[in-house]
Amino acid sequence: MSGEKEEKCIFCDIVSGKAPAHRVYESEHALVILDIHPYTKGHCLVLSKKHVPWWHQLTGEETADLFQAANTVANRMMKTYKPDFVFLYARGRRIPHTHLFLIPTYGGDVLDRFFNALENFQESPAQLAALKDPALMAQAARELSEAE
Ligand SMILES: [Zn+2]
């Protein structure tokens, strides 16, 4: 949030009130707003008030406040929308200003399926490698060559 910064940052503008947002919660170091492209109803972004690209560039106090804000709003989501759980992740590739995604998630919805697919992918190399076992390969060759 320094004056010399040339680049325009939409999250800095929201934090300072120059840009509009649906504000949900505010604390000393964090501001929680609705995401304008929600995955589910109530999908929020937890912004740090300080402009840093990555969440791990915050001080300990700022980090604690950011996650406390996420915790407060997640509990409100659980009470209000009764999702199966509230999903949280931090990435920051598209807008280089620290923000946590806070998303009410239901079993089988798009995010749940996406992360299930990721987990399956994570586990698949071991399963695929096991198929290359020489004894298994010999067995498969025998089964297919002897099949009628
Ligand atoms: Zn910013």
Side-chain angles (χ1 to χ4, degrees), residues 5 9 11-12 51 96-97:
K5 207 160 61 62
C9 172
F11 288 164
C12 282
H51 180 95
H97 178 132

Side-chain angles (χ1 to χ4, degrees), residues 1 5 9-13 49-52 95-98:
M1 287 194 284
K5 207 160 61 62
C9 172
I10 182 63
F11 288 164
C12 282
D13 285 351
K49 289 187 175 175
K50 184 159 96 182
H51 180 95
V52 290
I95 299 178
H97 178 132
T98 292

